[in-house]
Amino acid sequence: MRELFLFIVFLLVFLLGMNFLRAGLFNLSGERLKNTLQRVTDKPWKGFIAGTIVTAVLQSSSAVTVMTVGLVSAGSLSFSQTIGIILGSNIGTTVTAEFMTFSLSKWIVPGAVIGALFILFSSFFLRSLGFVIFGMSSIFAAMEGFKSLAIPLSRYDFVSNALLMIENHLLMALLIGMIMTAMIHSSSAMIGICMSFLSTGDLTVSASIAIMLGSNIGTCITAYMASIGAGKEAAFTAYAHIWLNLLGSILFFPFIDELGTAAAFFTSEKNVQLAHASVIFNVICSIIVLPFSTLFATLIIKVHGRKK
């Protein structure tokens, strides 16, 4: 049970690190990025570019989608303007997965110390920078922890049975990715866990991609919760986010092996292949939908009903 306890601790450290990183980045640039979203979303392609950049900077598609829901609820954006932002956020969030493939283990302790010291400063800039550095150190510490626990955890019968079930039933892998991500509110954490099992050979790339597809659906829960009670337009934004990720995952599910092959073309490292697969999946889905964003918005309104 020691390994399970440590796994939960590392998961909490990862989530805490993401929160620190997100808070620091938002303090440094969030209000300017929020204003950018309001100014440049008159065209879907502008919202698409803005959503990609803002999400890449803030390291969280959920944060950007929740921000978008808030802007819609406040009347600063219309629902139709949010489609491009959502499509862009799905691409921007892949930066986090790519970021996690780097090995920065030797900088974890120095980074944590420097970050903690900066947080103690009264300067807003230095304190925010400290949050960023400390958050990054926490994320990489958790990743190293996940890797160290992958082999010990795989010796537990229920874990080995679960891994076997995931390998033999990719639909189950997708469902697990969806449920776990909805529970922990972080697709990045789910992908990080997959990377740890990939590095030890306990999980294949195909199964990891299935979990990644599921996590893209599960991450929609955050925006949906933010939309509750926020008005009809905000609810449409949350529904659009759900449908985009759900349909994209359904579309790609039969082509998981092909997606893995495409990712393997760029690298032989399994964990990097998963990150690349996430990029390919989200880029293709977003580019397919972008030209039809107005039509898609109309369909969402018809399906979920606008009362006049």
Side-chain angles (χ1 to χ4, degrees), residues 65-76 234:
T65 308
V66 169
M67 184 191 298
T68 304
V69 168
L71 290 172
V72 173
S73 178
S76 300

Side-chain angles (χ1 to χ4, degrees), residues 151-208:
I151 292 177
L153 281 174
S154 64
R155 296 194 184 114
Y156 285 87
D157 287 340
F158 74 93
V159 175
S160 60
N161 290 335
L163 290 171
L164 185 62
M165 180 180 62
I166 287 171
E167 293 293 345
N168 293 331
H169 305 283
L170 293 183
L171 181 58
M172 187 60 68
L174 184 144
L175 291 174
I176 288 174
M178 180 178 68
I179 294 169
M180 289 295 295
T181 302
M183 289 173 61
I184 63 179
H185 289 262
S186 175
S187 58
S188 297
M190 199 66 233
I191 291 176
I193 292 168
C194 286
M195 286 180 175
S196 66
F197 283 103
L198 272 171
S199 65
T200 59
D202 291 302
L203 203 60
T204 63
V205 174
S206 294
S208 299

